[in-house]
């Protein structure tokens, strides 16, 4: 059956006539896609149900969002180690942070800035997109200039490296019109009665194809995905770790994007993204269970075999992030400085924490939390 979708045959020409939403149902109305949609929504619902039972969702939110930031940045070839990232995140005294850890932490900040922006909002708007982009890039600009000569080139070190593989649209009013259509599609369920998870999948392609900003479009688009799911109520908090799947299947991700623009192959793109939602929902669900299980075991051990007072509070703090400092306990006015230091050292003796000295500063690594997040 012929696909009713106008493709972009010339990779060197701006795709100004990219089809607006809605796309013809023929592009996605088939049994395989709807079966995958059912599986994805079931996994997402299970994750939502499990996370809703947490007494302190902030613990999970802090740790999972940090890993999402790390993976999403890695897709854009911004790499940092877990140790570098967690050390930077653990700093509470506003020391300057440089290099890849700073970029990753900006992504995490954008994740939370965007989430806060959408609270009480009925619809996504240009202000939301600009906020996320500007936070990621530490920028003040908005949609790129009509004269911007941005092209997407083949990466890597093979024979085709550097060749143009896609040219996003440009020109006076072009991006504004396409973004307006995208936002209307996502916001207006009466005019566009498409399943919300399908809307997220389709909308992600459209945003990346529009490529509205001079840089940071991939990261902005992936944050947009998560916030869309929270906005429509499929998740309470932005804890879906989609970037892990994408970084593990990076070539397929870009191949499926190109498949839509060059061949009109919406099916492969939709199936890829639905599989990403299903598997990362399951992965995050399992991480929640592991974190809660080890927290309970550690708390039980402290209650039975330690002299620590208020062990519940201490365990809560050491599970907020992988690296803990004495200052984290004293800043929360939970413990006096000497008491905090003694308790953290006692946890080292129990092999719950591992003390590390970095540049003369003492950090306490939560070994089990670190292991769970690194898998």
């Amino acid at each position: 059956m012929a696909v009713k979708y106008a493709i972009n045959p010339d990779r060197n020409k701006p795709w100004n006539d990219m089809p607006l939403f809605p796309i013809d149902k023929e592009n996605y109305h088939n049994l395989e896609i709807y079966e995958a949609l059912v599986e994805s929504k079931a996994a997402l619902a299970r994750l939502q149900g499990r996370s809703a039972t947490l007494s302190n969702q902030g613990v999970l939110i802090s740790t999972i969002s940090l890993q999402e930031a790390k993976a999403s940045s890695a897709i854009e070839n911004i790499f940092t180690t877990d140790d570098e990232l967690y050390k930077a995140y653990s700093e509470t005294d506003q020391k300057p942070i440089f290099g890849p850890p700073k970029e990753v932490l900006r992504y995490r900040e954008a994740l939370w800035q965007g989430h806060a922006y959408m609270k009480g909002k009925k619809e996504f708007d240009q202000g939301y997109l600009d906020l996320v982009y500007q936070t990621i890039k530490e920028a003040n600009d908005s949609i790129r200039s009509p004269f911007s000569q941005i092209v997407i080139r083949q990466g890597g070190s093979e024979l085709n490296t550097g060749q143009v593989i896609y040219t996003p649209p440009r020109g006076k009013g072009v991006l504004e019109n396409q973004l307006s259509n995208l936002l209307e599609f996502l916001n207006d369920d009466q005019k566009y009665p498409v399943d919300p998870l399908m809307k997220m999948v389709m909308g992600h392609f459209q945003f990346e194809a529009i490529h509205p900003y001079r840089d940071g479009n991939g990261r902005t688009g992936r944050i947009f995905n998560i916030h869309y799911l929270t906005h429509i109520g499929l998740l309470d908090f932005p804890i879906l770790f989609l970037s892990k799947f994408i970084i593990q299947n990076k070539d397929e991700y870009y191949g499926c994007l190109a498949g839509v623009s060059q061949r009109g192959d919406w099916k492969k793109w939709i199936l890829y993204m639905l599989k990403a939602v299903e598997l990362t929902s399951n992965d995050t669900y399992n991480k929640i269970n592991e974190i809660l299980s080890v927290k309970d075991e550690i708390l039980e051990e402290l209650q039975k075999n330690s002299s620590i007072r208020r062990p519940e509070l201490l365990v809560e703090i050491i599970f907020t992030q992988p690296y803990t400092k004495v200052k984290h306990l004293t800043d929360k006015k939970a413990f006096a400085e000497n008491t905090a230091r003694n308790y953290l050292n006692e946890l080292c003796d129990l092999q719950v924490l591992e003390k590390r000295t970095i540049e003369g500063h003492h950090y306490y690594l939560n070994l089990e939390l670190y292991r769970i997040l690194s898998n």
Side-chain angles (χ1 to χ4, degrees):
M1 185 180 293
V3 175
K4 298 177 181 179
Y5 189 76
I7 61 172
N8 179 41
D10 187 348
R11 302 177 186 182
N12 294 282
K13 180 182 177 181
W15 197 15
N16 287 2
D17 58 351
M18 178 175 64
L20 300 177
F21 285 131
I23 62 172
D24 195 291
K25 284 186 177 180
E26 185 180 306
N27 292 282
Y28 61 90
H29 195 67
N30 70 70
L31 182 60
E32 189 176 359
I33 285 179
Y34 284 109
E35 286 178 343
L37 179 63
V38 169
E39 294 297 320
S40 299
K41 294 187 76 171
L44 195 59
R46 189 171 72 139
L47 171 60
Q48 163 66 355
R50 189 67 181 96
S51 64
T53 66
L54 295 177
S55 59
N56 182 1
Q57 293 182 322
V59 173
L60 177 69
I61 292 164
S62 294
T63 54
I64 296 295
S65 66
L66 201 59
Q67 281 294 307
E68 166 65 21
K70 179 173 178 281
S72 186
S73 300
I75 296 170
E76 310 302 327
N77 298 314
I78 300 168
F79 299 102
T80 184
T81 66
D82 285 333
D83 281 341
E84 290 173 331
L85 177 59
Y86 295 144
K87 174 184 172 294
Y89 178 56
S90 70
E91 296 292 351
T92 57
D93 45 9
Q94 304 301 312
K95 288 184 178 179
I97 300 171
F98 302 99
K102 181 179 181 179
E103 295 244 14
V104 175
L105 291 180
R106 280 208 305 264
Y107 179 97
R108 185 182 181 279
E109 182 183 353
L111 190 65
W112 290 107
Q113 291 275 357
H115 183 67
Y117 180 92
M118 288 305 299
K119 281 189 175 180
K121 288 266 188 180
K122 292 184 177 180
E123 297 184 338
F124 288 95
D125 55 24
Q126 187 62 51
Y128 160 82
L129 294 174
D130 285 348
L131 173 66
V132 172
Y133 156 71
Q134 290 168 357
T135 306
I136 289 172
K137 296 301 298 179
E138 281 191 322
N140 295 315
D141 58 320
S142 180
I143 297 174
R144 55 186 166 85
S145 161
F147 313 105
S148 175
Q149 304 291 302
I150 287 180
V151 296
I152 311 300
R153 298 184 184 274
Q154 178 72 46
S157 56
E158 299 177 355
L159 185 63
N160 294 330
T161 298
Q163 289 188 5
V164 174
I165 57 175
Y166 175 69
T167 302
R170 61 171 175 255
K172 187 175 181 180
V174 173
L175 300 182
E176 290 82 354
N177 181 53
Q178 291 171 337
L179 278 176
S180 176
N181 170 255
L182 169 60
L183 292 171
E184 182 184 62
F185 173 73
L186 293 174
N187 288 325
D188 193 337
D189 292 330
Q190 289 191 341
K191 185 175 181 179
Y192 304 101
V194 178
D195 180 273
L197 191 53
M198 288 284 282
K199 278 192 174 186
M200 184 274 281
V201 170
M202 295 175 182
H204 183 60
F205 167 80
Q206 200 83 343
F207 181 83
E208 298 305 325
I210 296 170
H211 215 74
Y213 300 106
R214 57 180 173 82
D215 197 8
N217 294 280
R219 284 168 285 173
T220 301
R222 287 187 288 277
I223 287 177
F224 194 4
N225 288 343
I226 301 172
H227 288 158
Y228 181 73
L229 294 178
T230 58
H231 184 66
I232 61 177
L234 291 179
L235 286 175
D236 285 339
F237 294 98
I239 59 172
L240 190 63
F241 195 4
L242 279 175
S243 294
K244 179 180 180 180
F245 180 89
I246 294 174
I247 192 67
Q248 291 173 342
N249 302 275
K250 188 175 178 179
D251 289 344
E252 187 179 0
Y253 172 73
Y254 287 115
C256 288
L257 281 170
V260 179
S261 63
Q262 295 170 16
R263 298 183 301 279
D265 191 351
W266 275 97
K267 181 180 177 181
K268 281 188 178 179
W269 167 254
I270 292 171
L271 289 175
Y272 174 90
M273 288 296 292
L274 290 177
K275 181 60 68 175
V277 171
E278 178 189 354
L279 295 184
T280 52
S281 293
N282 291 336
D283 182 62
T284 307
Y285 177 86
N286 292 333
K287 284 186 188 297
I288 291 174
N289 288 335
E290 283 193 81
I291 291 171
L292 293 180
S293 177
V294 74
K295 274 185 67 182
D296 289 343
E297 287 190 26
I298 290 172
L299 178 57
E300 184 179 353
E301 175 67 20
L302 296 185
Q303 289 171 332
K304 288 181 178 179
N305 300 308
S306 81
S307 60
I308 293 174
R309 295 184 178 181
R310 302 168 73 194
E312 299 89 351
L313 179 57
L314 180 62
V315 170
E316 205 67 53
I317 292 173
I318 67 170
F319 272 86
T320 301
Q321 54 188 299
Y323 277 100
T324 301
K325 298 173 68 177
V326 170
K327 200 173 191 304
H328 296 159
L329 278 66
T330 58
D331 279 354
K332 296 178 183 296
K333 302 188 186 305
F335 305 96
E337 184 174 342
N338 286 339
T339 302
R341 184 174 293 104
N342 290 336
Y343 283 174
L344 291 174
N345 287 327
E346 186 172 345
L347 290 179
C348 290
D349 293 338
L350 293 171
Q351 297 184 316
V352 173
L353 304 179
E354 179 180 280
K355 187 176 181 179
R356 296 186 177 183
T357 303
I358 305 172
E359 298 175 355
H361 298 280
H362 299 310
Y363 300 85
Y364 295 84
L365 175 64
N366 184 326
L367 295 169
E368 281 300 294
L369 181 58
Y370 186 91
R371 177 190 63 79
I372 293 167
L373 292 176
S374 299
N375 289 336

